[in-house]
Amino acid sequence: MLVLGLNMFHADASAALVQDGEVVFAIAEERLNRVKHYGGIPALAVQACLNSVGATIADIDHVAVGRDSDAHLIKKAQYALLNPTKILNLIQIRKRREAMDDLRALLARPLQADPQRMRFHQHNVEHHIAHIASAFYCSGWEKAAGFSYDGSGDFVTTMLARCEGTDIEILERVFVPHSLGSFYTMICDFIGYRKYGDEGKVMGLAPYGTDAYYEQICDMMSPNGRTFKLNLAYFMPLGSTQGMQINEDGTVALARHYSPKMVGLFGQPREPSGEITQRDMDLAFAMQKRFEEIFFHLLDRLHRQVPCDDLAMAGGCALNSVANGKIFNQTPFRRTWIQPAAGDEGLAVGAALYAYHAILKQPRQYVLKDPYLGPEFSDARIRQALDSAALKYRRLEREPLLEQVADKIAAGQVVGWFQGRMEWGPRALGNRSILAHPGLPNMKDILNARIKRREWFRPFAPSILADRQDEYFEHAHPSPFMLHVYKIRPDKRRQLCAVNHVDDTGRLQSVTRQENPIYYELIQAFQRRTGVPALLNTSFNENEPIVCTPEDAIDCFCRTKMDVLAIGPFLAVKAEDP
Ligand SMILES: [Fe+2]
């Protein structure tokens, strides 16, 4: 049975293919059309899914969309009546709903397929149910507490659930406008981070601040019985989309989130090009602190209703790795399984698995063992791309390749590392990565000056051998998808100085041999030279979606000042280099 999962007409459009209950392929459209956070129809992603198993759209049995515009219609209508300027917004959502009704017609043109030959059944899965499904059904756990939170989706911002077997029982929903995601985005917007997806940057700024504004920030969001509420005086009325607009060309824009009350309290907002002041850092600090408090309040309530050790989690806010790293100290949960594509691209996987298990009543067997669900490329294709770019390269066996790359990283060089299938989700996890020495004090500046050009305050992250994690970090709970930030132990901070953030933390990736053998062996080879069982790992890109194809990687390599490119079995340098 083939089930195609889709996230469409929403930021981070994506497609995933589930074959007999196993996720065999998943990819966000942005990686293929190179438009960051693309929010239209994921036509290239669908085609890539089909190609991966040699199928056509006519072979698909079920299509599951991570969106149910019919959900909570009464709530939406009530909200629109209270906010008359947002009635237009509601009409647009209905139009999209009608377009989705004819999914065959929508897919036919970009796939050049005959809609008459498509025989799939369509399932619309509510946004947050798809998020929770994307975590729980991939976890392999028989039972867990399910949690999802983000800006909003299908008029809901937060969902608590009891997950058992193939059932996801919803315990609580928090509706628009009360949203942890909107709270975070509002303050990011005020301090000059106005693009969709900028929240992760501000998370890195927070530890530079103080709690000077903590009391004012607490007035913006507070616990409310089992859930929480926003003080709407600080927010613009955002409508049922919580201020997210998908443009005709599929790009995503955010409406202004902060109200004049914010300006009255804190002065003029920072322009994106303006200098970051202590005020901005202090706001970021208090925002992260309040976010965590409400998050732990919700998890505490969830644990009372579902008393177990295991938490399955997704939703855009589940990418807040700082909050995730504190779960074990601040809540009764002992294990987490967080979907690597916790943001909205993950809806494609969640909707497909929900259709398979909860709607079609198929039993569970699948466990997501690694995040490498994207495309891979043959050696011949890579060689062709290298030849076209006139790069100098050598083909090496695995062992010499690892030894030479480890030598170069140990000597302070910056290496583009392109191997195997592309990662699913926003993190580079050792298959589309730029790698460097984590223990050189100037490495952060080198990377920023030569390649990444990121804000000075953003930390780089380490990949560490999972069996050595406990020696270096204060928590041994694995973080295979780089979704937890832990304190680095005091005696190891010098060894990891390029990935040690200002508050002595690191957003680590725990690497096992089972998940990624070649990457594990590369870190081992580096360890033999330096004594450090970790590498600095940043995504293979330069202000663009992470590279997908060999051509994308070679283009990025040539545009930037990376030293070496290890791509498949080939080790390449630029033509002018010796
Ligand atoms: Fe979402």
Side-chain angles (χ1 to χ4, degrees):
M1 187 194 298
L2 286 174
V3 184
L4 180 68
L6 298 177
N7 174 39
M8 61 195 295
F9 295 144
H10 196 94
D12 296 318
S14 62
L17 190 64
V18 169
Q19 184 173 40
D20 299 325
E22 184 182 340
V23 183
V24 292
F25 196 92
I27 187 168
E29 185 75 0
E30 67 157 33
R31 301 295 170 86
L32 297 167
N33 71 4
R34 313 302 296 159
V35 178
K36 205 150 175 59
H37 299 302
Y38 181 79
I41 301 173
L44 298 173
V46 170
Q47 191 61 60
C49 284
L50 297 171
N51 292 349
S52 73
V53 294
T56 71
I57 190 73
D59 300 317
I60 296 293
D61 302 294
H62 298 270
V63 175
V65 185
R67 177 192 192 104
D68 181 5
S69 303
D70 285 343
H72 316 302
L73 275 179
I74 293 171
K75 287 254 181 206
K76 286 177 191 167
Q78 285 169 341
Y79 185 70
L81 288 171
L82 287 172
N83 299 274
T85 55
K86 298 298 171 191
I87 287 178
L88 194 63
N89 180 239
L90 200 66
I91 293 169
Q92 280 172 347
I93 288 177
R94 292 311 297 166
K95 274 190 183 162
R96 289 246 162 87
R97 164 78 178 86
E98 281 155 24
M100 301 265 282
D101 275 347
D102 202 355
L103 197 53
R104 286 174 177 74
L106 277 178
L107 293 175
R109 198 187 308 163
L111 296 177
Q112 297 180 316
D114 177 0
Q116 304 293 330
R117 295 191 57 227
M118 299 181 203
R119 58 188 178 81
F120 60 76
H121 298 277
Q122 183 178 342
H123 309 276
N124 298 328
V125 180
E126 186 184 334
H127 187 101
H128 285 274
I129 296 177
H131 272 318
I132 290 177
S134 77
F136 178 60
Y137 293 137
C138 288
S139 71
W141 290 336
E142 175 57 23
K143 184 180 176 193
F147 188 74
S148 170
Y149 68 143
D150 60 14
S152 77
D154 287 331
F155 210 65
V156 173
T157 71
T158 311
M159 184 177 278
L160 284 65
R162 179 183 289 110
C163 306
E164 189 158 6
T166 57
D167 294 335
I168 295 176
E169 178 196 349
I170 296 150
L171 303 172
E172 194 88 56
R173 287 183 176 91
V174 180
F175 290 95
V176 164
H178 303 288
S179 161
L180 273 147
S182 297
F183 163 77
Y184 214 94
T185 302
M186 185 275 279
I187 294 169
C188 291
D189 181 16
F190 186 77
I191 63 175
Y193 289 91
R194 296 183 183 158
K195 287 196 205 139
Y196 183 83
D198 271 354
E199 292 85 353
K201 297 180 185 175
V202 181
M203 189 176 68
L205 181 65
Y208 288 92
T210 71
D211 59 3
Y213 298 129
Y214 175 66
E215 268 180 40
Q216 287 97 319
I217 293 275
C218 285
D219 188 45
M220 297 174 195
M221 180 169 67
S222 46
N224 182 28
R226 291 198 304 264
T227 62
F228 68 97
K229 64 179 178 192
L230 296 184
N231 180 344
L232 298 176
Y234 295 94
F235 296 78
M236 294 297 279
L238 292 169
S240 57
T241 61
Q242 291 292 80
M244 185 178 75
Q245 170 82 37
I246 309 290
N247 299 320
E248 284 297 315
D249 62 359
T251 54
V252 181
L254 289 178
R256 186 179 129 178
H257 274 52
Y258 58 87
S259 76
K261 188 176 170 76
M262 285 291 291
V263 184
L265 253 183
F266 300 108
Q268 287 304 310
R270 175 181 160 267
E271 287 301 316
S273 57
E275 195 190 333
I276 297 167
T277 63
Q278 191 62 44
R279 179 202 68 174
D280 304 322
M281 297 182 212
D282 291 345
L283 283 170
F285 180 92
M287 164 186 75
Q288 176 68 27
K289 183 173 174 181
R290 190 58 170 166
F291 176 90
E292 290 169 13
E293 286 170 352
I294 300 296
F295 174 50
F296 298 139
H297 165 72
L298 291 166
L299 290 189
D300 200 49
R301 303 303 302 215
L302 176 59
H303 190 267
R304 285 190 217 178
Q305 294 181 79
V306 190
C308 67
D309 285 348
D310 296 337
L311 173 67
M313 191 165 69
C317 293
L319 294 169
N320 193 311
S321 45
V322 173
N324 295 343
K326 297 177 182 171
I327 288 172
F328 313 110
N329 288 347
Q330 300 290 334
T331 81
F333 290 110
R334 300 275 61 93
R335 293 198 298 172
T336 57
W337 203 97
I338 309 172
Q339 162 63 229
D344 287 337
E345 72 267 46
L347 295 170
V349 159
L353 289 175
Y354 187 81
Y356 188 76
H357 296 303
I359 299 173
L360 301 168
K361 304 291 177 202
Q362 296 296 310
R364 289 176 65 199
Q365 281 159 352
Y366 172 70
V367 181
L368 186 144
K369 292 201 177 67
D370 65 60
Y372 310 106
L373 297 173
E376 64 184 332
F377 299 89
S378 68
D379 293 352
R381 164 81 182 266
I382 295 171
R383 184 189 284 276
Q384 196 179 34
L386 287 164
D387 287 338
S388 300
L391 288 178
K392 289 199 289 186
Y393 65 88
R394 282 174 299 146
R395 185 188 177 106
L396 295 167
E397 294 301 318
R398 180 175 172 130
E399 205 58 37
L401 179 80
L402 292 174
E403 296 297 323
Q404 290 205 24
V405 170
D407 274 343
K408 289 177 189 303
I409 298 174
Q413 294 198 9
V414 178
V415 176
W417 178 254
F418 180 108
Q419 302 291 333
R421 297 184 67 177
M422 188 178 66
E423 297 87 343
W424 163 239
R427 302 274 165 266
L429 297 167
N431 280 8
R432 301 288 186 275
S433 291
I434 295 171
L435 304 176
H437 196 316
L440 299 181
N442 59 346
M443 189 46 77
K444 188 174 159 183
D445 295 334
I446 290 174
L447 283 167
N448 272 330
R450 290 169 47 179
I451 300 156
K452 303 291 283 192
R453 300 185 181 94
R454 307 196 314 182
E455 295 88 343
W456 58 268
F457 58 83
R458 291 177 63 192
F460 286 102
S463 298
I464 186 161
L465 299 179
D467 29 10
R468 303 289 303 280
Q469 178 181 327
D470 197 23
E471 286 169 54
Y472 281 76
F473 288 88
E474 290 187 356
H475 280 286
H477 185 286
S479 183
F481 312 133
M482 217 180 244
L483 288 171
H484 301 75
V485 168
Y486 299 143
K487 279 265 186 209
I488 300 175
R489 293 191 186 278
D491 60 322
K492 302 298 183 191
R493 288 173 192 163
R494 198 175 53 79
Q495 273 193 34
L496 297 183
C497 60
V499 292
N500 184 26
H501 199 28
V502 65
D503 55 352
D504 294 319
T505 60
R507 189 188 69 196
L508 72 161
Q509 175 196 2
S510 335
V511 182
T512 64
R513 190 189 291 278
Q514 292 74 20
E515 283 163 336
N516 195 334
I518 190 169
Y519 191 42
Y520 185 89
E521 285 167 27
L522 177 64
I523 302 173
Q524 279 188 318
F526 179 75
Q527 179 195 232
R528 285 196 293 276
R529 284 156 177 78
T530 61
V532 182
L535 288 172
L536 184 157
N537 170 13
T538 186
S539 51
F540 198 147
N541 61 347
E542 182 233 353
N543 290 318
E544 60 183 326
I546 296 176
V547 300
C548 175
T549 64
E551 290 79 8
D552 297 336
I554 290 166
D555 186 48
C556 182
F557 175 66
C558 293
R559 259 188 290 129
T560 60
K561 291 180 178 164
M562 250 178 273
D563 295 298
V564 188
L565 174 63
I567 181 164
F570 305 102
L571 196 62
V573 293
K574 285 162 192 160
E576 67 269 24
D577 290 344

